Amino acid sequence: MKKILVCKEYDERETRVALIPDDIKKLTGLGFEVTVVSGAGEKSGFDDKSYEAAGAKITADEKSALAGAEIIARVMKPQSLDGIAENAVHISYLDPFNEKDLLNDFAARKIQAVSLEMIPRTTLAQKMDVQSSQTSLAGYTAVINAAAKLPKILPMMVTPAGTINPARVFVIGVGVAGLQAIATAKRLGARVDAFDTRPVVEEQVKSLGASFVKIDLGEMGQTAQGYAKELTPEQIARQKEAQAKVCEKANIVITTAKVFGRKAPRLIEKSVLDRMQRGSIVVDMAVSTGGNVEGSKLFEDVVTENGVTIMSGDLLERQVPYDASKMFSGNITAFLTHAGFYDKEAKEFKVNLDDEIMKGCLITSGGQIIHERFK
């Protein structure tokens, strides 16, 4: 397999592209033949000419191009599978826990579907980990967005007119997004507190200059994928009350708590929002999976009766599409050229079902759903 098609995203809100010209140049040098749908990279800052200069062909007819494509690369899940050839490899986010019909459709059409969310979070697969690359940018953007709306500055400032105290930022959930949010807020001069149900991250929080909020929840841990394990109702209640006290003093609260494959836990309720300062900002980065914050809405800002702004924090990486596309493209390129998949002699990509990374992310093959979690 060496014929790659880079699709244009159908969602008007999507600004990223699956492969950028620099990586296409690398891939064509390795024997791949790349076709890009016209305009696919426009929103990311990459025009058709830059793709042609990198060695790609440009097509205005995606439907026709799909028929000859052996590898289809896109960012988000497809709107339709029409025109994709049997045994082609489709690579994108698939939201597999919530898209059972789509997975069945992939299987029925004998398309090999790779779900980028399911790439194992291992050292070997680190270069392919789109979840980490994209959520890192989202954590940065969450702080920038909140700072822009906050009616005070983040750093301490000593002036002849008096001293301005630093803003207080509270980050709940210290995964990749949370760590980047902490680092960004610290760079901007804020005082930062952070909490995570996994005590093992305390050292990482402190290494960034933030304070770790200790809440005794009993036995905790993380999944094999590196995500926090789901809390019991009693643990959630204990966490909520301890967090509320920190939220009362905070100017910005950023929630990043997601449970892989399940609905996000509700961490901040209206009763807590009512206790927060007027003008404070809450960014809910789990809004698309149920939301950590009561009243949050996808792609909308909500202002409470007491003047707290709840900002939608989902897919914030779309606001920095140049770098988001660069990182996403690097992840896809690493996947396509991984030693377990790329045949140097034949100069082509092969689906290797014996490879642990492929086992982790290939959902359908041979007309069936083969992944253990989705069979």
Side-chain angles (χ1 to χ4, degrees):
M1 290 183 171
K2 59 177 65 178
K3 295 180 180 179
I4 303 171
L5 176 65
V6 180
C7 296
K8 185 176 181 180
E9 301 299 315
Y10 68 86
D11 186 344
E12 286 298 317
R13 287 185 291 256
E14 184 55 67
T15 57
R16 295 167 292 174
V17 66
L19 286 170
I20 67 169
D22 282 352
D23 286 322
I24 285 176
K25 190 173 182 179
K26 295 175 189 175
L27 291 169
T28 54
L30 291 171
F32 289 94
E33 299 171 22
V34 185
T35 300
V36 178
V37 176
S38 181
E42 285 289 343
K43 293 180 181 178
S44 305
F46 306 103
D47 60 18
D48 290 350
K49 288 182 179 179
S50 64
Y51 280 106
E52 287 181 307
K57 295 178 182 177
I58 303 297
T59 181
D61 188 352
E62 182 173 312
K63 287 186 178 179
S64 296
L66 281 169
E70 296 171 315
I71 301 167
I72 294 101
R74 68 172 91 233
V75 178
M76 301 304 287
K77 58 193 174 189
Q79 192 173 31
S80 169
L81 302 183
D82 292 347
I84 300 178
E86 283 190 9
N87 296 318
V89 175
H90 183 284
I91 305 171
S92 74
Y93 281 120
L94 289 181
D95 192 15
F97 290 98
N98 299 306
E99 292 289 347
K100 292 180 181 178
D101 290 343
L102 177 60
L103 301 189
N104 287 326
D105 197 12
F106 270 118
R109 294 172 188 253
K110 297 182 179 179
I111 301 167
Q112 301 183 86
V114 171
S115 176
L116 293 174
E117 297 98 321
M118 299 304 297
I119 287 177
R121 304 190 89 178
T122 61
T123 302
L124 185 61
Q126 196 169 19
K127 289 183 179 179
M128 314 170 200
D129 187 359
V130 296
Q131 292 284 74
S132 293
S133 73
Q134 301 301 294
T135 55
S136 177
L137 291 171
Y140 163 85
T141 308
V143 174
I144 299 300
N145 288 353
K149 271 197 177 289
L150 190 70
K152 74 177 264 69
I153 63 172
L154 264 62
M156 183 180 79
M157 192 175 291
V158 179
T159 76
T163 300
I164 298 173
N165 291 324
R168 299 188 66 152
V169 176
F170 182 31
V171 178
I172 303 174
V174 188
V176 175
L179 287 170
Q180 189 58 248
I182 292 167
T184 303
K186 284 298 296 181
R187 288 190 201 105
L188 293 174
R191 175 179 172 180
V192 183
D193 295 300
F195 170 74
D196 194 287
T197 57
R198 300 163 297 163
V200 293
V201 303
E202 180 178 352
E203 188 176 330
Q204 291 175 286
V205 170
K206 289 181 175 178
S207 72
L208 292 171
S211 299
F212 187 75
V213 177
K214 293 188 178 181
I215 303 173
D216 184 11
L217 297 176
E219 186 178 348
M220 284 307 306
Q222 60 186 21
T223 66
Q225 287 274 357
Y227 297 94
K229 287 185 177 179
E230 191 171 17
L231 300 179
T232 65
E234 293 76 16
Q235 288 174 318
I236 291 174
R238 205 181 307 170
Q239 179 184 342
K240 284 179 180 178
E241 182 51 39
Q243 285 175 174
K245 295 176 182 177
V246 185
C247 288
E248 286 180 39
K249 301 175 182 177
N251 302 106
I252 295 173
V253 177
I254 297 174
T255 68
T256 73
K258 293 182 178 180
V259 181
F260 194 53
R262 298 189 184 185
K263 186 178 179 181
R266 179 60 51 83
L267 301 178
I268 299 180
E269 295 171 339
K270 184 178 182 298
S271 59
V272 178
L273 295 168
D274 290 343
R275 290 157 62 178
M276 292 180 65
Q277 305 170 49
R278 176 172 291 276
S280 54
I281 309 291
V282 180
V283 184
D284 186 348
M285 296 188 70
V287 64
S288 67
T289 56
N292 297 145
V293 184
E294 183 175 355
S296 63
K297 292 184 179 180
L298 187 60
F299 304 130
E300 288 184 38
D301 290 352
V302 177
V303 181
T304 66
E305 292 177 2
N306 63 318
V308 175
T309 299
I310 308 169
M311 300 181 72
S312 173
D314 238 50
L315 292 167
L316 295 181
E317 56 269 30
R318 289 177 173 177
Q319 293 181 25
V320 285
Y322 180 87
D323 287 319
S325 296
K326 183 177 180 180
M327 294 173 78
F328 192 98
S329 177
N331 297 143
I332 297 293
T333 302
F335 181 81
L336 293 173
T337 58
H338 171 57
F341 312 148
Y342 178 68
D343 186 328
K344 287 185 178 180
E345 291 186 9
K347 290 190 173 183
E348 64 176 22
F349 175 86
K350 294 183 178 181
V351 176
N352 179 6
L353 292 174
D354 293 326
D355 188 278
E356 289 301 314
I357 295 173
M358 188 64 77
K359 280 182 183 178
C361 64
L362 186 66
I363 310 297
T364 61
S365 184
Q368 298 179 33
I369 295 175
I370 64 168
H371 197 286
E372 290 297 326
R373 295 190 73 171
F374 306 104
K375 277 183 178 179

